[in-house]
Amino acid sequence: MIISNNLKMYAQKLRSSNLRPTKQRLKICQFLFDRKKTFHFTVETLNKKINKNRAMKVSLATIYNTVEAFTSAGYLKEILTSKNKSYYDTNIKSHHHFYDEGSKELTDINYSQIKLSKVPVPPKGKKIKNLEVVIRIQK
Amino acid sequence: MIISNNLKMYAQKLRSSNLRPTKQRLKICQFLFDRKKTFHFTVETLNKKINKNRAMKVSLATIYNTVEAFTSAGYLKEILTSKNKSYYDTNIKSHHHFYDEGSKELTDINYSQIKLSKVPVPPKGKKIKNLEVVIRIQK
DNA sequence: TTCTAGTTTAGAATTATTATAAACTACATA
DNA sequence: TATGTAGTTTATAATAATTCTAAACTAGAA
Ligand SMILES: [Mn+2]
Ligand SMILES: [Mn+2]
Ligand SMILES: [Zn+2]
Ligand SMILES: [Zn+2]
């Protein structure tokens, strides 16, 4: 069995956010972050993938807890494009999305691919936290 | 009792979308559209407002059905900025929003107040249905 | 007036999510 | 290395929003 040498890194990262590197969290880290490309997921799909092989069962409650903890820690970003179900993104950089109404799939749009030449001033006493564009597409 | 002379108009509009102008739907139309300014709401708040006075009770199921029917017919727009709860907008024109993370309130941004100088090409075979900007703000 | 498809409704069912509380474990400290 | 404890996991219950069901009702065509 080959143990990812990223494990130590993940453990470190987790500790730095006051999260204990439990085997459940490390397993989820590996699944989420041991890859070349970022991606979008729901708790439902993450749960299925994590528990596909019999190896070690991670409870649904822990999946929820972990996704919440990782989002608070800034390792994940929550995406609000869909009714009734939360989507998450392993791409935590500021970026935009295509949302396909048919397949309900999200695709990243690089931040530099959209340019805004005019942006409104926020209401008094408020600051802009971020600005995101969603482009809804269909056939 | 003064009967809004918009009632006939609403009845007509509803019929034109193959929706019978029932007293429930007309009541909801009056509440939603008999006003100068557009606004944002949830099913929960709409239900409370519609059933505030004893006059005539509209069931929650009908509130859901009607909001869904009006959205399909294009009289309302669904807004997806919030987790776990759907927001609707009586402003059906293409426009953008400020979303206040603190108060969880939406404020319209006129379409002309944001200008995009660069927009990506949609994936092959797909068309842009709409483009919306959400600017998250906080203190 | 009659007939019927469309609508409303109460309540049940479903779905996503959050809360609870007991068992477990990482890890600081002895 | 052993012990204590706060943090974590887990099964399960609870909650919240929404959708479904099927019986009663009604708009409006004929
Ligand atoms: Mn929901
Ligand atoms: Mn929900
Ligand atoms: Zn993304
Ligand atoms: Zn709006």
Side-chain angles (χ1 to χ4, degrees):
Chain A
M1 189 175 96
I2 295 162
I3 293 167
S4 159
N5 48 5
N6 286 324
L7 275 185
K8 272 170 246 158
M9 197 185 71
Y10 294 140
Q12 201 109 62
K13 204 85 198 286
L14 289 172
R15 278 197 209 88
S16 81
S17 308
N18 287 309
L19 296 171
R20 288 190 179 168
T22 62
K23 59 185 201 293
Q24 290 88 344
R25 284 172 178 165
L26 289 171
K27 190 178 181 187
I28 294 171
C29 273
Q30 287 189 93
F31 178 80
L32 292 176
F33 308 121
D34 266 5
R35 46 176 92 213
K36 294 226 179 66
K37 289 187 177 174
T38 60
F39 69 108
H40 306 104
F41 66 92
T42 64
V43 167
E44 189 192 6
T45 59
L46 179 59
N47 185 45
K48 273 184 195 150
K49 297 272 178 67
I50 288 288
N51 291 303
K52 179 150 278 178
N53 49 7
R54 291 276 160 74
M56 180 191 87
K57 212 220 148 178
V58 179
S59 77
L60 180 59
T62 296
I63 304 274
Y64 271 104
N65 291 341
T66 303
V67 166
E68 153 66 26
F70 286 10
T71 304
S72 289
Y75 306 151
L76 291 174
K77 223 167 49 151
E78 199 177 357
I79 307 272
L80 303 163
T81 15
S82 152
K83 204 178 168 168
N84 292 345
K85 196 177 270 192
S86 290
Y87 280 73
Y88 296 87
D89 199 334
T90 63
N91 180 357
I92 56 171
K93 284 186 291 192
S94 210
H95 66 283
H96 309 292
H97 292 101
F98 282 120
Y99 183 68
D100 189 320
E101 306 258 277
S103 66
K104 304 197 169 179
E105 257 177 59
L106 283 165
T107 318
D108 278 2
I109 300 172
N110 202 289
Y111 205 68
S112 66
Q113 285 186 268
I114 292 185
K115 283 229 175 75
L116 293 120
S117 52
K118 192 182 174 190
V119 169
V121 181
K124 265 193 182 147
K126 300 289 164 64
K127 276 186 172 178
I128 291 179
K129 195 189 160 193
N130 89 334
L131 181 158
E132 285 184 13
V133 176
V134 174
I135 303 182
R136 273 161 215 279
I137 53 177
Q138 60 184 179
K139 280 223 186 94
Chain B
M1 189 175 98
I2 294 159
I3 292 169
S4 158
N5 48 5
N6 286 324
L7 276 185
K8 270 169 250 161
M9 198 185 68
Y10 295 139
Q12 201 109 63
K13 205 87 196 286
L14 289 172
R15 276 197 211 90
S16 81
S17 308
N18 286 311
L19 296 171
R20 287 187 180 172
T22 63
K23 58 186 201 293
Q24 291 87 344
R25 283 173 179 166
L26 289 172
K27 190 179 182 187
I28 294 171
C29 273
Q30 287 190 91
F31 178 80
L32 292 176
F33 307 121
D34 266 5
R35 44 178 94 214
K36 294 226 180 65
K37 290 185 178 174
T38 60
F39 69 109
H40 306 105
F41 65 92
T42 64
V43 167
E44 189 192 7
T45 59
L46 180 59
N47 185 45
K48 273 184 194 147
K49 297 272 178 67
I50 287 288
N51 291 302
K52 180 150 278 180
N53 50 8
R54 292 277 159 74
M56 179 189 91
K57 214 219 147 179
V58 179
S59 75
L60 181 59
T62 296
I63 304 275
Y64 271 103
N65 291 341
T66 303
V67 166
E68 153 66 25
F70 285 11
T71 304
S72 290
Y75 306 152
L76 291 174
K77 223 169 49 154
E78 199 175 359
I79 308 273
L80 303 163
T81 16
S82 153
K83 205 178 167 168
N84 291 347
K85 197 178 269 191
S86 289
Y87 280 73
Y88 296 87
D89 200 335
T90 62
N91 181 357
I92 56 170
K93 283 187 292 193
S94 211
H95 66 283
H96 310 294
H97 291 102
F98 283 121
Y99 182 68
D100 189 321
E101 305 257 276
S103 66
K104 303 197 170 178
E105 256 176 59
L106 284 167
T107 318
D108 278 1
I109 300 172
N110 202 289
Y111 205 67
S112 66
Q113 285 187 268
I114 292 185
K115 282 228 175 75
L116 292 120
S117 52
K118 192 182 174 189
V119 170
V121 181
K124 266 196 182 143
K126 299 291 162 65
K127 276 187 172 177
I128 292 181
K129 195 189 161 193
N130 89 331
L131 180 157
E132 285 184 12
V133 177
V134 174
I135 303 182
R136 275 162 213 278
I137 54 176
Q138 62 185 177
K139 279 220 187 96

